[in-house]
Amino acid sequence: MATNVEETYLYSSPTTFKVSSKDGEIFDIDDSFINQSKTIKNMLNVLDIADNHMPIPLQNIKGTMLNAAIVFCKYHKNDLLSIPDDEDEDDFERDAYEPRRSDDISEWDKEFIKQFTVEEGTLFDIIMAANYLDIKALLAVGCKTIANMVRGKNSDQVRQMFNISYDPPGEGLNTPRNSVTSKESGDNQLLTTQEKESRCKTPSPELMYD
């Protein structure tokens, strides 16, 4: 597998930086978070932020999710060089259709992810936060948790689990609409397809200038 230089480069700074969530909470972050969040690392490298007292705004993430991501990164600070890059496009030997494992979540990660639930929507919140921050290890844990939840379940069970509404073909929103309702003189009249086409025709020049 080709080595991604950007992924193995570790940001090093003697100071901490501040980040602010969408709801105004401010957190201190250090190298353990910066090196696992590609988004933050790129911000610091590109923007060359010198004032570490000015919070970096993260308007897409709630404070609770940002705090959880920081806790996750602190625990995994020693795993930085062992994080696999599943999106390595240079690995031509990898089978694109080969299923990835979802049964290799560590015990600590299992306990960590339990605080987020589908019912409250927090499981999807932490996954979206990990995606925005580009923390691959956290994103992998969230996605693998979803995969394990739906394994062995049929489509009806999955829809019920995630509260997904569904209209069978020919019912509800999927009902064929071959006519449109138009109000004329206060009455609802159903127009056939032929009538709709006739009303949409452009008048001939003779009628326009008669």
Side-chain angles (χ1 to χ4, degrees), residues 16-135:
T16 60
F17 292 89
K18 296 182 181 298
V19 291
S20 61
S21 64
K22 65 184 297 184
D23 44 0
E25 292 191 63
I26 298 177
F27 302 89
D28 290 323
I29 59 172
D30 56 16
D31 294 351
S32 65
F33 184 80
I34 297 170
N35 284 315
Q36 294 182 75
S37 172
K38 189 175 179 181
T39 299
I40 298 298
K41 184 162 60 172
N42 287 343
M43 283 183 178
L44 294 175
N45 288 334
V46 173
L47 299 178
D48 191 22
I49 300 175
D51 184 6
N52 61 319
H53 298 292
M54 181 66 68
I56 301 172
L58 300 174
Q59 296 300 318
N60 293 341
I61 305 178
K62 300 176 183 177
T64 52
M65 299 300 116
L66 183 54
N67 181 64
I70 293 173
V71 171
F72 181 91
C73 289
K74 284 184 177 180
Y75 179 82
H76 287 280
K77 63 182 180 181
N78 295 324
D79 304 340
L80 295 176
L81 294 179
S82 63
I83 298 175
D85 186 1
D86 290 338
E87 299 177 356
D88 189 354
E89 297 179 356
D90 295 330
D91 184 11
F92 296 104
E93 297 182 357
R94 181 176 65 81
D95 185 355
Y97 298 97
E98 179 183 356
R100 294 183 173 88
R101 294 183 59 183
S102 62
D103 59 348
D104 55 349
I105 304 177
S106 69
E107 289 301 320
W108 189 93
D109 289 344
K110 287 180 181 178
E111 290 300 317
F112 170 84
I113 207 69
K114 281 182 181 179
Q115 63 184 299
F116 310 106
T117 65
V118 172
E119 292 76 15
E120 297 177 354
T122 52
L123 180 56
F124 298 106
D125 286 340
I126 193 63
I127 289 176
M128 289 188 291
N131 182 62
Y132 175 75
L133 292 168
D134 203 351
I135 303 176

